[in-house]
Amino acid sequence: MTGSAPLYQLKAEFFKTLGHPVRIRVLELLSLREHAVAELLAEIAVEPAHLSQQLAVLRRANLVVARREGSSVRYSLTDPQVAELLAVARGILSGVLAGQAELLAGLRAAGPEAAVATAGPETTAPTT
């Protein structure tokens, strides 16, 4: 075995980096265009210190890059494939949610009697 981590482990670490709502929102916004920190704060509505921490995580993962412009700091994606990954994730999630909506609609259409009938004897109320 070599000294480097297996690819699946590196992928897991990569997805862990993406596993925070503020980071995802930052990446979504940066997928549209470069943003100044003040713009990100206005869009995301978190404390400046919290945004700074999340931006640092994204910088360490080499997903975003910062550049100073006058007195402000502007962020952009390091690779346009990050935007593509977010679009693919949105597509997958849309499909999953559509399937769940269909299931929910089917359950609602079946009515409460179907729910009792499929629940089995252990979940029905005892008769006396």
Side-chain angles (χ1 to χ4, degrees), residues 1 4 6 11 16-17 19-20 29-30 42 46-47 53-54 57 59-60 64 67 85-86 96 101-102 127-128:
M1 182 158 202
S4 63
K11 285 180 184 178
K16 273 194 226 178
T17 300
H20 192 284
L29 291 168
L30 296 180
V46 295
E47 293 295 320
Q53 288 174 338
Q54 301 310 321
V57 171
R59 275 194 319 270
R60 283 192 301 272
V64 300
R67 71 175 180 85
L85 176 65
L86 292 172
V96 168
E102 289 174 16
T127 56
T128 54

Side-chain angles (χ1 to χ4, degrees), residues 91-105:
I92 292 168
L93 187 56
S94 293
V96 168
L97 293 176
Q100 290 175 351
E102 289 174 16
L103 177 61
L104 180 59

Side-chain angles (χ1 to χ4, degrees), residues 29-117:
L29 291 168
L30 296 180
S31 293
L32 303 173
R33 65 175 175 81
E34 180 182 72
H35 281 74
V37 172
E39 293 172 318
L40 293 172
L41 279 169
E43 287 285 335
I44 301 172
V46 295
E47 293 295 320
H50 186 61
L51 179 61
S52 179
Q53 288 174 338
Q54 301 310 321
L55 287 168
V57 171
L58 294 171
R59 275 194 319 270
R60 283 192 301 272
N62 202 30
L63 293 173
V64 300
V65 64
R67 71 175 180 85
R68 185 163 292 281
E69 186 177 274
S71 63
S72 68
V73 178
R74 301 188 64 81
Y75 279 87
S76 60
L77 296 178
T78 57
D79 191 324
Q81 287 183 331
V82 173
E84 293 172 26
L85 176 65
L86 292 172
V88 168
R90 178 182 294 247
I92 292 168
L93 187 56
S94 293
V96 168
L97 293 176
Q100 290 175 351
E102 289 174 16
L103 177 61
L104 180 59
L107 289 172
R108 286 184 176 152
E113 301 81 24
V116 172

